[in-house]
Coordinates of all heavy atoms in Angstrom, one line a residue:
R804 N 4.8 -10.6 -12.4 CA 5.9 -11.1 -11.6 C 7.0 -10.0 -11.5 O 7.6 -9.8 -10.4 CB 6.5 -12.3 -12.3 CG 7.7 -12.9 -11.5 CD 8.3 -14.1 -12.3 NE 7.4 -15.2 -12.5 CZ 7.0 -15.5 -13.7 NH1 7.5 -14.9 -14.8 NH2 6.1 -16.5 -13.9
M805 N 7.2 -9.2 -12.6 CA 8.1 -8.1 -12.5 C 7.7 -7.0 -11.5 O 8.5 -6.5 -10.7 CB 8.3 -7.5 -13.9 CG 9.1 -8.4 -14.9 SD 9.3 -7.6 -16.5 CE 10.4 -6.3 -16.1
A806 N 6.4 -6.8 -11.5 CA 5.8 -5.8 -10.6 C 6.0 -6.3 -9.1 O 6.4 -5.5 -8.2 CB 4.4 -5.5 -10.9
A807 N 5.7 -7.6 -8.9 CA 5.8 -8.1 -7.6 C 7.3 -8.1 -7.1 O 7.6 -7.8 -6.0 CB 5.3 -9.5 -7.6
N808 N 8.2 -8.5 -8.1 CA 9.6 -8.5 -7.7 C 10.1 -7.1 -7.4 O 10.9 -6.9 -6.4 CB 10.4 -9.0 -8.9 CG 10.3 -10.5 -9.1 OD1 9.9 -11.2 -8.1 ND2 10.5 -11.0 -10.2
E809 N 9.7 -6.1 -8.2 CA 10.1 -4.7 -7.9 C 9.6 -4.3 -6.5 O 10.3 -3.7 -5.7 CB 9.7 -3.8 -9.0 CG 10.1 -2.3 -8.8 CD 9.7 -1.4 -9.9 OE1 9.0 -1.8 -10.8 OE2 10.1 -0.2 -9.8
S810 N 8.3 -4.5 -6.2 CA 7.8 -4.2 -5.0 C 8.5 -4.8 -3.8 O 8.8 -4.2 -2.8 CB 6.3 -4.5 -4.9 OG 5.6 -3.9 -5.9
F811 N 8.8 -6.1 -4.0 CA 9.5 -6.9 -2.9 C 10.9 -6.3 -2.7 O 11.2 -6.1 -1.5 CB 9.7 -8.3 -3.4 CG 10.4 -9.2 -2.4 CD1 9.8 -9.7 -1.3 CD2 11.8 -9.4 -2.6 CE1 10.6 -10.5 -0.4 CE2 12.5 -10.2 -1.7 CZ 11.9 -10.7 -0.6
R812 N 11.6 -5.9 -3.7 CA 12.9 -5.3 -3.5 C 12.9 -4.0 -2.8 O 13.8 -3.6 -2.0 CB 13.7 -5.2 -4.8 CG 14.1 -6.5 -5.5 CD 15.0 -6.3 -6.6 NE 14.4 -5.5 -7.7 CZ 13.7 -6.0 -8.7 NH1 13.5 -7.3 -8.8 NH2 13.2 -5.2 -9.6
L813 N 11.8 -3.3 -3.0 CA 11.6 -2.0 -2.4 C 11.1 -2.0 -0.9 O 11.2 -1.0 -0.2 CB 10.7 -1.1 -3.2 CG 11.3 -0.7 -4.6 CD1 10.3 0.1 -5.4 CD2 12.6 0.1 -4.5
L814 N 10.5 -3.1 -0.5 CA 10.0 -3.2 0.8 C 11.0 -3.1 1.9 O 10.7 -2.6 3.0 CB 9.2 -4.5 0.9 CG 7.8 -4.6 0.3 CD1 7.3 -6.0 0.4 CD2 6.9 -3.6 0.9
S815 N 12.2 -3.5 1.6 CA 13.3 -3.5 2.6 C 14.6 -3.5 1.9 O 14.8 -4.0 0.8 CB 13.2 -4.8 3.4 OG 14.3 -4.9 4.3
D816 N 15.6 -2.8 2.6 CA 16.9 -2.7 2.1 C 17.5 -4.1 1.9 O 18.4 -4.4 1.1 CB 17.8 -1.9 3.0 CG 17.4 -0.4 2.9 OD1 16.7 0.0 2.0 OD2 17.7 0.3 3.9
A817 N 17.1 -5.0 2.8 CA 17.6 -6.4 2.8 C 17.2 -7.1 1.5 O 17.8 -8.2 1.1 CB 17.1 -7.2 4.0
N818 N 16.1 -6.6 0.8 CA 15.6 -7.3 -0.4 C 16.3 -6.7 -1.6 O 16.0 -7.2 -2.7 CB 14.1 -7.1 -0.5 CG 13.3 -7.7 0.6 OD1 13.9 -8.5 1.3 ND2 12.1 -7.3 0.8
S819 N 17.2 -5.7 -1.5 CA 17.8 -5.1 -2.7 C 18.6 -6.1 -3.4 O 19.1 -7.1 -2.9 CB 18.6 -3.9 -2.3 OG 19.7 -4.3 -1.5
I820 N 18.9 -5.8 -4.7 CA 19.6 -6.8 -5.5 C 21.0 -7.0 -5.1 O 21.5 -8.1 -5.0 CB 19.5 -6.3 -7.0 CG1 20.0 -7.4 -7.9 CG2 20.3 -5.0 -7.2 CD1 19.1 -8.6 -8.0
S821 N 21.7 -5.9 -4.6 CA 23.0 -6.0 -4.2 C 23.1 -6.8 -2.9 O 24.0 -7.7 -2.7 CB 23.7 -4.6 -3.9 OG 22.9 -3.9 -3.0
R822 N 22.2 -6.6 -2.0 CA 22.2 -7.4 -0.7 C 21.9 -8.9 -1.0 O 22.5 -9.8 -0.4 CB 21.2 -6.8 0.3 CG 21.5 -5.4 0.8 CD 22.5 -5.5 1.9 NE 21.9 -6.0 3.1 CZ 21.2 -5.3 4.0 NH1 21.1 -4.0 3.8 NH2 20.7 -5.9 5.1

Side-chain angles (χ1 to χ4, degrees):
R804 185 182 299 113
M805 290 182 66
N808 288 338
E809 182 178 3
S810 303
F811 176 82
R812 290 191 298 272
L813 294 174
L814 283 174
S815 171
D816 292 340
N818 297 344
S819 66
I820 191 67
S821 60
R822 292 280 289 274

